[in-house]
Each structure stands twice: as C-alpha cells, then as structure tokens.
Amino acid sequence: MNVQQACRVVALQRSADSLLVATMGAMRALDLLEADPAYAGPAPKAARLSSVPLMGGAACLGLGLALGRPERPVIVVDGDASLLMELGSLVTVVQAAPSHFLHLVINNGHQFTGLANLDAPAPGFNFAEAARTAGYRHTFSFDDEAQWSARFTDIQKLDGPVFVELRVQPAPQLAKEGFAQTEMPDHQFQRMGLEAQAIQQLLGTGVQ
C-alpha cells in the first residue's frame, strides 16, 4: 500500500459530516485526490484543515475540533516523523477522551518522503502499540489497501479515541544529483489559517 491508496480510502469513505486534519505526505496525497475531476467523496476543502507548517501539531489541532464540536467526527491523518515530534499528544488525546476521534498515522519510515527520503528517527517504532499504551480505546495496524478499505467504515463507528497505524511504501526519492527544488508558494504557508477560517464558517462559529 502507498500513501495515495491509504488516503484514498479516507477521502472516499469518510462520513459526510467529518472534519479532517492532515499533515505532510497525507496532505499532498489528499490534494491530488480532491483535485481529480472524478473525486466523489465528501465536500473536501471546507471540511479539511492542513497542519502545515505546524509539523507535529495535527493531533492537537484535531483534538481542538473534537472538543469544540463533539458531535462531529474528527479524523486526523498524521505522519510518522511528525508524530514522533509530539508523542505527548497521544496522552493529551486520551486524557480529553473525545468519543468521535479517529487518529491515523502514515508510517513510511522516512522524513521528506518523495524528496530526500531521509530515514525517520526510531526505525521500527510501533505507533499502534504506543497509542494502546497511552490509552486509546481501540488500535489497529494495516499494510494492505484491501483490508484497510474493508475495515474503515466499521472503525469509523467505534467509540474513540481510535488509532490506526498505516504502514505504507515510501514514494521514490527525487533529490538526486542535479535535482533542483522549486520554491514553495506562499499559499503553502498560509493555507492552515485559510482553511481554519473555512472550517469556522462551515461550523458557524465566525471568523476571528
């Protein structure tokens, strides 16, 4: 399973009233999926919040949404290197005990995958076991798209917090000899604030 396949399951099967927080590789995968004219999932942009440039902050952003609107399902699509920066967020989520909270981590074993593919710290770290130890009510691990797709709907219905580790293949490395990195557009650093405003409008909470 690769990150596109893992995120496609989320994009197409998540409930229509869910709020989605994504970071790093998952954010880019969802961008591509939602830009496809054939996309048939829930309304994407208004119900999604990107955790960039706040690396490591996805779980706590999602927790804020879950506490503010406890009746809405919240799905966080985290990254392995990102979550390692803020492992304490697992305990914070458990202490708050949001009942409609699904926390996914894309585990490809790399940082900057698809670019430099640097090895992530703590290779072999078991994220599902860490979440179970922290106190998540249900934890799962998948490395097969068909199994993940078949279980997603039922997992969405479980009382949270729920944690799923998605073990995926890293994208091919691009940063080789002669590679030139293009400059990131300003929007990449503005989008978290813009999407937060869109979610405020969606939820009727106003824009600060």
Side-chain angles (χ1 to χ4, degrees), residues 46-194:
R48 179 149 74 90
L49 178 59
S50 299
S51 179
V52 168
L54 185 59
M55 187 174 179
C60 288
L61 283 175
L63 178 59
L65 290 172
L67 295 177
R69 295 298 294 267
E71 78 283 2
R72 300 286 293 258
V74 173
I75 301 172
V76 173
V77 192
D78 219 331
D80 50 356
S82 296
L83 183 54
L84 283 171
M85 296 178 70
E86 294 289 349
L87 277 177
S89 63
L90 297 177
V91 176
T92 301
V93 168
V94 168
Q95 288 180 325
S99 58
H100 299 114
F101 190 89
L102 175 56
H103 189 178
L104 317 176
V105 63
I106 303 294
N107 183 2
N108 56 33
H110 288 77
Q111 302 179 76
F112 310 108
T113 184
L115 185 62
N117 283 21
L118 302 177
D119 289 340
F125 185 84
N126 190 323
F127 289 93
E129 179 65 17
R132 186 195 67 77
T133 302
Y136 276 68
R137 296 188 68 175
H138 307 276
T139 60
F140 304 88
S141 293
F142 296 96
D143 59 12
D144 178 81
E145 181 190 9
Q147 293 178 358
W148 169 225
S149 180
R151 295 293 304 280
F152 181 80
T153 299
D154 289 338
I155 288 173
Q156 250 191 137
K157 297 175 183 176
L158 294 172
D159 287 337
V162 179
F163 188 93
V164 180
E165 180 177 4
L166 300 171
R167 298 188 298 274
V168 305
Q169 302 161 348
Q173 178 180 342
L174 293 178
K176 301 175 182 177
E177 186 176 353
F179 174 81
Q181 170 66 34
T182 57
E183 183 178 355
M184 285 189 177
D186 290 343
H187 176 71
Q188 190 74 347
F189 300 93
Q190 299 166 348
R191 63 180 293 174
M192 186 169 71
L194 295 172

